[in-house]
Amino acid sequence: MTHASTRASSTLVAATLGAAFSLGLSALPLGTAQAQDPVKIGLLTTLSTNGGYLGEDARDGFLLAVDMGGGTLGGVPVDVLVEDDEREPERGAQAAEKLVKADKVEIMTGGIFSNVAMAVVPKVVRDDVFYISPNAGPSALAGKGCHANYFNVAYQNDNQHEAMGQYAQGAGFKSVYLLAPNYPAGKDSLTGFKRFFKGVVAGETYTQLGQSDYAAEIAAIRDAKPDAVFYFLPGGMGINFLKQFNQAGLTKDIQVLGPGFSFDERLLGAVGDAAVGARNSSQWNHDLDNAANKAFTEAFTAKYARPITQYAAMGYDAAQLIGSALKATGGKVSGDRDGFRAALEKADFASVRGDFKFGPNHHPIQSFWLREVVKTDTGIVTNKVSGKIFSEHQDAYAADCTM
Amino acid sequence: MLVVEQILNGLQLGVMLFLMSAGLTLVFGIMGLINLAHGSFYMVGAYVAAWVTGLTGSLFLGLLAALPAAMVVGMGIEVLVMRRLYTRDHLDQVLATFGLILFFNEMARILFGRQPLFLDVPEMLSGTIEILPGVPYPAYRLAIIAVGILVAIALWLLISRTRLGMRIRAGASDREMAAALGANVTGLQTLVFGLGALLAGLAGAMAGPILAVESGMGEKVLILAFVVIVIGGIGSVRGALVAALTVGLVDTLGRAFLPDLLRMVTRDATADSLGANLSQISIYLLMALVLAWKPKGLFPSHG
């Protein structure tokens, strides 16, 4: 490498760092006087690409809890280092390496996308760092690949699909048309749905990942005349599908069902009225009636003034879980790994979901709710809890886990 | 009946692809420029339409604002960036215009945030129309087909009946000779580039109510547009029209009927997956077949 290009690349690095700092991705400065060294937490999440809003929400939910604790979690000062994995497994692995080796973080969190998580988590937990996932819940990490240092505070990936399958079964939909992108998570989703739905599958279509136009699929759905359509199309794909499905005039005859991922409050803002009436499943909603949720939603709205998604709620719960364990060990993490782990396993915190505990594979045992998309008097399209689907639901992989 | 509906779907996709590829093929043909950032003009059209519609409540005004916006952005980019690239080789062009994609996508995120914008079909076109007894079809999609046909006719008149069109044709078939004969090639290039951007912007603005208006939306349609201009023959608007409709039909009908056809052959679970995969590559198979038969595309404009 020539001098000129070395200079050019170091300028580039400086510019990138500058940009990162100005965008607020840097480590949180903490103003509190500290009696003990703060516990370092690496928050490695997805902040760029269109999926970046998920990581943004998980980060903001997490930092909100730190904020509400005055720079502490469970009374123990923490230092949160935020990094962007750019939704790339390689980039995620690199950033994790840096956080663990150079910054010496003792706890990590933030994973949104499962493919990135698979490149980050197994390595991190082998290095004796605790990992608390606020979203990504691939089956591999819940079953055979489970690890004593890995906890998932949100769900196993299949759970919301399973809940919708259970709902469709219980609500008496005789035939359901299934739609998902042609990639592993898409297939897992439909498998999860069919684990609990035993009625007729009127059709099962796998679409291209990133597909924009669903006219062909929608015509096929019209032709199949199912009672309901269940789809798992993350992000923009779901917006496209739902808008087009509504424009085709089908929403009045065919009930729209989907996992909560496809109906978060930010997506609903982009779909608008076309989403009204759709039913989806989630372990959380902003209107769940419990004290912890009330405190969270009020604080989040006051600080960020934007609609709250489940990603923000799970980020907040991840911070609360860490706080409960730090409190139990008096701030010891690597000094008392067994004690910290045992404290995490207890999940001794008031979750925004209400009842919450961990199964033997460190994945949640929790309720799943049916949410209906409604339009409020003020014209906002939002989710409303309209019933409970599962109580104490556990994932299907727990039995494969031996720690 | 399903077939009729799917053919309309194919036509509608084809019309959108035509709007995207008409500009792309002219720029490629006249300037010899590979412009990966063409999808960004599509995105500009969609964003401006969504933004203005949000402000005024009228999609018509949104559309009206999107067209000049896309054209101005296109002409600005031509003057600022593209002019420096005409004489460079294709790899430089690919790199520079790829950089532009990153710039536009990040700019959209900075200006409008990461979440997609909301844009809905206007009240007037929000219903469905019964094209045949028992076959309702979204009115908005019919409107897109109609606009596409009008634009195709207007472009044909422009290119075959006007002086400007003559220059464009001359530029497409032999750039140096046209310049030597006194055509103002520099001005022509800016104009053609702006026209291409305008058409892409129109496609984006019309797609807005159907699709998620989000950063990076242009790249999804760009790849199909490149397939179209390769099949149609570089530089030929007529080729782009024929190829766009063919690609739209093959893609839609493939997605609609291939998985079912495969299920007749085999009942096991691989049929679904195989069908999905096959329908995804159907247009690339089409491209390979056309190129084997006519290596320069269906209607090559260079002799």
Side-chain angles (χ1 to χ4, degrees):
Chain A
M1 192 185 261
T2 63
H3 286 296
S5 69
T6 313
R7 221 174 18 252
S9 61
S10 54
T11 316
L12 194 65
V13 170
T16 315
L17 285 179
F21 275 97
S22 63
L23 288 171
L25 310 185
S26 61
L28 250 205
L30 291 168
T32 44
Q34 288 150 8
Q36 64 193 116
D37 278 345
V39 173
K40 280 193 180 174
I41 302 174
L43 202 165
L44 175 60
T45 192
T46 303
L47 297 167
S48 35
T49 76
N50 290 337
Y53 79 90
L54 311 183
E56 198 172 84
D57 277 2
R59 175 196 66 192
D60 290 349
F62 193 96
L63 294 183
L64 178 68
V66 177
D67 228 36
M68 288 162 78
T72 74
L73 286 175
V76 176
V78 293
D79 187 0
V80 183
L81 304 157
V82 181
E83 292 272 350
D84 182 8
D85 64 29
E86 293 163 25
R87 204 175 171 171
E88 295 283 347
E90 300 78 25
R91 169 75 194 122
Q94 279 170 11
E97 179 90 4
K98 179 199 156 261
L99 285 167
V100 172
K101 295 279 156 64
D103 298 322
K104 309 241 181 286
V105 299
E106 295 176 282
I107 306 166
M108 278 190 62
T109 182
I112 297 291
F113 291 96
S114 293
N115 59 334
V116 184
M118 287 308 292
V120 169
V121 174
K123 221 166 139 195
V124 165
V125 292
R126 270 202 305 274
D127 285 335
D128 271 338
V129 169
F130 286 94
Y131 194 98
I132 317 290
S133 174
N135 187 62
S139 52
L141 296 180
K144 288 200 175 68
C146 68
H147 194 281
N149 293 339
Y150 173 76
F151 290 78
N152 185 310
V153 78
Y155 38 48
Q156 196 281 317
N157 283 353
D158 299 4
N159 291 161
Q160 292 191 346
H161 310 294
E162 291 168 344
M164 225 49 224
Q166 171 74 14
Y167 167 71
Q169 180 70 19
F173 290 106
K174 285 192 188 65
S175 65
V176 178
Y177 198 102
L178 309 179
L179 197 72
N182 193 20
Y183 78 130
K187 288 176 183 157
D188 287 351
S189 138
L190 300 192
T191 309
F193 182 86
K194 287 189 284 186
R195 199 172 283 143
F196 287 85
F197 178 69
K198 301 298 170 201
V200 178
V201 173
E204 190 170 338
T205 300
Y206 291 102
T207 61
Q208 201 170 344
L209 194 60
Q211 187 170 321
S212 330
D213 191 80
Y214 292 91
E217 289 77 9
I218 288 168
I221 294 172
R222 188 203 304 282
D223 197 51
K225 298 190 183 65
D227 293 335
V229 58
F230 171 84
Y231 74 91
F232 168 62
L233 296 167
M237 291 186 279
I239 299 177
N240 295 339
F241 174 77
L242 197 49
K243 277 169 120 173
Q244 294 167 21
F245 191 75
N246 187 52
Q247 282 159 18
L250 291 179
T251 27
K252 57 183 187 299
D253 299 324
I254 301 171
Q255 176 63 47
V256 174
L257 306 175
F261 313 117
S262 305
F263 295 90
D264 73 52
E265 303 288 317
R266 296 233 214 168
L267 291 182
L268 290 182
V271 179
D273 292 355
V276 172
R279 289 179 195 157
N280 65 94
S281 54
S282 179
Q283 74 284 17
W284 175 84
N285 196 37
H286 56 84
D287 67 353
L288 278 184
D289 190 16
N290 66 63
N293 198 33
K294 217 162 274 170
F296 163 66
T297 50
E298 275 167 18
F300 192 95
T301 309
K303 186 166 180 195
Y304 302 108
R306 63 167 192 257
I308 317 172
T309 63
Q310 64 177 24
Y311 310 102
M314 295 302 108
Y316 181 80
D317 262 6
Q320 288 205 89
L321 169 68
I322 293 172
S324 71
L326 284 176
K327 193 173 177 185
T329 62
K332 280 198 199 125
V333 182
S334 35
D336 179 13
R337 288 210 176 83
D338 291 338
F340 189 73
R341 185 177 306 117
L344 285 174
E345 281 169 352
K346 277 190 199 130
D348 184 19
F349 69 101
S351 167
V352 293
R353 288 160 272 189
D355 291 343
F356 176 90
K357 65 182 178 192
F358 281 121
N361 60 343
H362 293 177
H363 279 62
I365 296 180
Q366 59 185 343
S367 302
F368 278 84
W369 305 90
L370 177 68
R371 308 192 300 185
E372 183 151 351
V373 179
V374 296
K375 191 170 189 174
T376 64
D377 301 337
T378 47
I380 296 164
V381 178
T382 185
N383 282 300
K384 188 174 178 303
V385 165
S386 60
K388 193 187 247 189
I389 303 172
F390 280 132
S391 299
E392 304 220 330
H393 182 62
Q394 188 175 17
D395 62 89
Y397 305 97
D400 299 334
C401 168
T402 45
M403 274 187 205
Chain B
M1 289 308 105
L2 187 59
V3 177
V4 177
E5 194 178 347
Q6 297 291 24
I7 287 175
L8 278 177
N9 287 334
L11 281 179
Q12 185 257 315
L13 180 61
V15 157
M16 296 297 263
L17 286 176
F18 169 65
L19 292 179
M20 274 298 283
S21 43
L24 198 59
T25 198
L26 282 177
V27 167
F28 208 162
I30 299 179
M31 290 90 127
L33 176 82
I34 299 183
N35 178 21
L36 294 185
H38 199 66
S40 297
F41 304 133
Y42 174 86
M43 182 178 75
V44 167
Y47 265 92
V48 171
W51 182 55
V52 174
T53 306
L55 288 180
T56 61
S58 153
L59 180 69
F60 181 68
L61 287 180
L63 274 173
L64 220 56
L67 300 184
M71 186 164 186
V72 166
V73 169
M75 287 165 78
I77 289 293
E78 199 275 340
V79 172
L80 287 174
V81 182
M82 300 302 177
R83 268 187 200 171
R84 287 158 182 73
L85 297 174
Y86 294 143
T87 54
R88 308 282 281 269
D89 72 24
H90 284 327
L91 188 61
D92 288 353
Q93 299 173 349
V94 166
L95 277 176
T97 52
F98 183 70
L100 281 176
I101 292 183
L102 300 179
F103 168 79
F104 277 109
N105 285 348
E106 208 50 47
M107 192 53 109
R109 289 194 191 108
I110 290 170
L111 289 177
F112 295 97
R114 284 198 188 85
Q115 71 218 64
L117 296 192
F118 172 73
L119 185 60
D120 205 1
V121 173
E123 200 64 41
M124 215 172 84
L125 294 170
S126 65
T128 54
I129 291 173
E130 204 144 329
I131 38 168
L132 284 172
V135 186
Y137 196 75
Y140 188 73
R141 285 184 188 255
L142 285 176
I144 289 180
I145 296 176
V147 170
I149 292 170
L150 288 179
V151 170
I153 293 171
L155 258 188
W156 174 72
L157 287 175
L158 175 80
I159 288 173
S160 65
R161 292 280 188 273
T162 66
R163 199 167 184 82
L164 174 67
M166 202 164 71
R167 289 209 190 99
I168 292 177
R169 275 181 290 146
S173 53
D174 195 330
R175 198 175 354 152
E176 277 101 21
M177 191 54 84
L181 289 174
N184 176 1
V185 175
T186 312
L188 183 69
Q189 284 170 340
T190 311
L191 196 66
V192 167
F193 204 85
L195 183 68
L198 178 136
L199 292 175
L202 173 65
M206 287 200 307
I210 301 183
L211 305 181
V213 179
E214 63 183 348
S215 163
M217 65 188 288
E219 280 68 75
K220 288 173 187 156
V221 65
L222 180 78
I223 295 168
L224 286 178
F226 269 108
V227 172
V228 165
I229 67 171
V230 169
I231 292 179
I234 288 158
S236 162
V237 176
R238 184 168 50 140
L241 179 62
V242 173
L245 295 179
T246 313
V247 166
L249 284 169
V250 167
D251 185 57
T252 306
L253 297 179
R255 276 190 288 138
F257 298 116
L258 258 181
D260 285 340
L261 284 179
L262 273 173
R263 249 174 254 141
M264 282 186 213
V265 182
T266 159
R267 279 295 329 166
D268 71 277
T270 51
D272 290 338
S273 188
L274 188 65
N277 288 329
L278 267 183
S279 58
Q280 277 169 29
I281 59 167
S282 59
I283 56 163
Y284 303 101
L285 281 177
L286 173 74
M287 179 168 79
L289 286 175
V290 168
L291 289 185
W293 170 48
K294 286 194 160 189
K296 288 190 155 189
L298 294 173
F299 300 94
S301 65
H302 298 269

